[in-house]
Amino acid sequence: MRAVRFEGDGKIALREVERPSPGPFDLLIRVEACGICGTDRHIVKGEFGASPPVTLGHEFSGIVESVGSGVTRFRVGERITADPNHGCGLCAPCREGKVNLCENLQPLGVRRDGGFADYALVPEAQAHALPLSIPPLHGAFCEPLACCIHGVDLAGLKTGASVIVLGGGVIGMLVVQLARLAGATRVVMATRQADKRALAQSIGATATVDPSGDDFLRRLIGESGLFPGGADAVFECAGVPETVTQMLKLTKRGGTAVLLGVLPPEARVAIEPLGLLLREVRLQASFLNPFTHARAAELIASGTVKVEPLISRTITLEEASDAIRQPAPRGEIRTLVVP
C-alpha cells in the first residue's frame, strides 16, 4: 500500500509499504480522508517531536476493513474516526485522568503510523463510530474539533459570555462555533484575510475585525470598542507570538486567555506579570483532546458543527508530501488528503 513517510531530517516521501495486519484489539481501516495539520508541517521542519520513520497524519477517519480477534465494538464496513492520542494508562498523569499529558504518549501519525496512507491501524479503544450517512470527508474534522472542545471546556464559558477568537484557520473556525454552542452571545473573529472573516460570520461569528493597524486593540477593547475593557474569554488560535501577546491584553479583568495555537519551540513572548496579577487574568494552555473525541464525533455526526465550508481543497497521496513540506497556502482552512 501507499503511505506518506516522515524519514527524519526534513525528509518526507510517498513510499510503498506492507499493508499492516490488525493485532487482537486493533481495527484495520481503509482511510477515507486525513487532514493536513500545522503539526505535520512542524514535524517535517524539526519543530515537533516524532519517531521516524513513521507514516504521518493524525486527523483521519475511514471504513473498517478487518478487526482483531478480541475486538467486540466494531464490525467490518462501519465508519470510524480515530482518536490518535494513545496514553499508556500507567504514568501519573494517566492515573489522574490527564491522558493528554501522558509521559509515554504514542500518538498515531507522530510516533506510530497514522492516516496519510491507504490503510491504517487503530486500537479499538481509540475508535469512535460515525454513521455511514454523513459525507465521508467530514470524519477527518473530529480530531481538531475534539482539541477545540477541550479548550472551550477549560475556558468555562457561561451563557451570555463575550469571546474573541484570534486566528482564522480551522481551529479558530471551530472555536467560533463551539463558543456559540456554549452560550456565548458575542463572538468576534480577528483575522487579516477578508474571505476568512466572511466565512467566520457565515458560521456563527457575530462580528469580525481585521487586526492590521496600530488601533486594533482600541477597536476591540477601547471605550467605544466592541468589548470595552476586554472579553470574558480570548482564544489564541493562530500560533504566533504576536497574537499570544494580544490575547493577554484583550482579556478583561477576571477573564481567561486560552492558548490553543502551536508555536515553534524557540518562540518567546514578553508579558507584563503585574498587569496580569492586578487584573487576575487566567492564562490557560490547552493541549490535545482528553476524553472529548466522542463528543466531537457526535457533533460531526449530527451536523451541529459545520465543517463542509472548512474544506479548502482535497489532494491525493501523491500530492501530500509537497503540500506538507510547503507552508500553508494563503486562505487555507483545511486541506484533506483523500487516498
Side-chain angles (χ1 to χ4, degrees):
M1 71 171 193
R2 301 167 301 165
V4 177
R5 304 282 284 173
F6 171 58
E7 298 171 339
D9 297 325
K11 189 174 182 180
I12 180 174
L14 183 67
R15 302 296 189 196
E16 282 289 334
V17 299
E18 185 176 351
R19 176 170 156 174
S21 298
F25 301 103
D26 292 332
L27 312 175
L28 176 69
I29 71 163
R30 174 175 52 81
V31 177
E32 292 186 296
C34 186
I36 296 179
C37 174
T39 299
D40 298 309
R41 294 186 170 107
H42 283 302
I43 288 172
V44 174
K45 291 163 63 178
E47 298 173 344
F48 195 94
S51 299
V54 66
T55 300
L56 295 184
H58 57 274
E59 302 179 358
F60 65 99
S61 61
I63 303 297
V64 178
E65 285 280 314
S66 62
V67 301
S69 59
V71 171
T72 59
R73 294 174 49 235
F74 297 96
R75 295 179 297 178
V76 171
E78 294 183 318
R79 174 178 285 141
I80 66 101
T81 166
D83 175 355
N85 301 304
H86 188 57
C88 70
L90 299 174
C91 67
C94 280
R95 294 198 305 272
E96 294 169 3
K98 301 173 183 177
V99 294
N100 57 318
L101 305 180
C102 173
E103 297 170 0
N104 307 295
L105 195 67
Q106 295 291 309
L108 304 178
V110 180
R111 301 199 180 277
R112 300 169 63 180
D113 289 340
F116 290 140
D118 291 309
Y119 297 91
L121 285 182
V122 179
E124 181 183 19
Q126 302 300 115
H128 298 270
L130 287 172
L132 292 172
S133 58
I134 69 169
L137 302 186
H138 289 192
F141 286 90
C142 289
E143 195 277 341
L145 179 60
C147 294
C148 294
I149 291 173
H150 181 47
V152 172
D153 285 350
L154 290 173
L157 293 183
K158 297 180 180 179
T159 303
S162 57
V163 170
I164 298 172
V165 178
L166 302 175
V170 69
I171 299 301
M173 296 295 176
L174 293 173
V175 168
V176 163
Q177 298 182 67
L178 291 173
R180 293 302 303 271
L181 289 172
T185 51
R186 292 182 296 158
V187 178
V188 172
M189 159 77 75
T191 184
R192 287 184 171 86
Q193 298 180 38
D195 54 346
K196 290 186 175 182
R197 295 197 298 272
L199 175 58
Q201 291 201 240
S202 74
I203 60 174
T206 56
T208 60
V209 295
D210 182 347
S212 304
D214 296 336
D215 63 343
F216 169 56
L217 296 180
R218 180 181 58 78
R219 285 185 281 132
L220 274 180
I221 63 172
E223 290 185 5
S224 58
L226 294 171
F227 302 102
D232 293 305
V234 180
F235 293 87
E236 197 289 320
C237 303
V240 294
E242 180 184 8
T243 46
V244 175
T245 301
Q246 290 171 344
M247 78 171 178
L248 298 174
K249 297 177 180 179
L250 293 168
T251 307
K252 78 174 191 180
R253 290 174 178 267
T256 301
V258 180
L259 178 63
L260 272 167
V262 179
L263 286 81
E266 70 276 7
R268 298 293 183 269
V269 175
I271 64 172
E272 182 191 348
L274 181 61
L276 298 181
L277 174 70
L278 296 179
R279 293 187 294 127
E280 199 174 75
V281 168
R282 180 164 65 106
L283 173 55
Q284 175 68 64
S286 176
F287 184 54
L288 301 182
N289 58 337
F291 307 112
T292 56
H293 205 96
R295 291 161 62 191
E298 289 288 342
L299 289 170
I300 295 293
S302 66
T304 303
V305 169
K306 300 174 183 177
V307 296
E308 185 67 30
L310 309 185
I311 302 173
S312 302
R313 57 177 176 148
T314 60
I315 63 174
T316 65
L317 281 172
E318 286 76 12
E319 299 170 295
S321 295
D322 284 341
I324 296 166
R325 194 181 294 111
Q326 298 168 0
R330 179 176 175 81
E332 178 181 271
I333 304 296
R334 187 52 101 230
T335 291
L336 300 181
V337 178
V338 180

